[in-house]
């Protein structure tokens, strides 16, 4: 029997590491700073707010990810 002090400790993976989010735009709104995008992950339902300052540039996250729960 292995000593309890030498057993491996299970490590919980962060939720973000489980999959790469597939963001889908739920709504978009023009503002003075660019287009505000409300996005949701098609896989897990996590939501986020992005801003796209210029049409030629990709959107960037404006908020933290909020779990679907």
């Amino acid at each position: 029997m292995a000593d309890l002090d030498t057993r491996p400790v299970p490590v919980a993976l962060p939720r973000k590491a489980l999959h790469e989010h597939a963001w889908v735009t739920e709504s978009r709104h023009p503002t003075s700073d660019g287009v505000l995008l409300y996005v949701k992950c098609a896989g897990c339902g996590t939501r986020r707010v992005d801003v796209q300052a210029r049409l030629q540039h990709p959107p960037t996250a404006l908020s933290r990810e909020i779990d679907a729960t």
Side-chain angles (χ1 to χ4, degrees):
M1 184 166 142
D3 186 85
L4 291 177
D5 292 332
T6 60
R7 290 185 182 175
V9 177
V11 177
L13 294 175
R15 191 164 185 268
K16 291 181 188 177
L18 297 178
H19 76 279
E20 184 173 341
H21 293 297
W23 299 114
V24 176
T25 302
E26 293 189 302
S27 66
R28 58 178 53 234
H29 308 278
T31 68
S32 59
D33 292 328
V35 179
L36 203 60
L37 305 164
Y38 290 85
V39 296
K40 177 181 177 181
C41 176
C44 68
T46 298
R47 288 187 159 88
R48 186 176 80 183
V49 178
D50 291 353
V51 66
Q52 187 172 13
R54 297 186 181 171
L55 294 177
Q56 302 83 0
H57 296 146
T60 56
L62 190 60
S63 72
R64 296 182 315 162
E65 296 172 4
I66 302 191
D67 292 336
T69 57

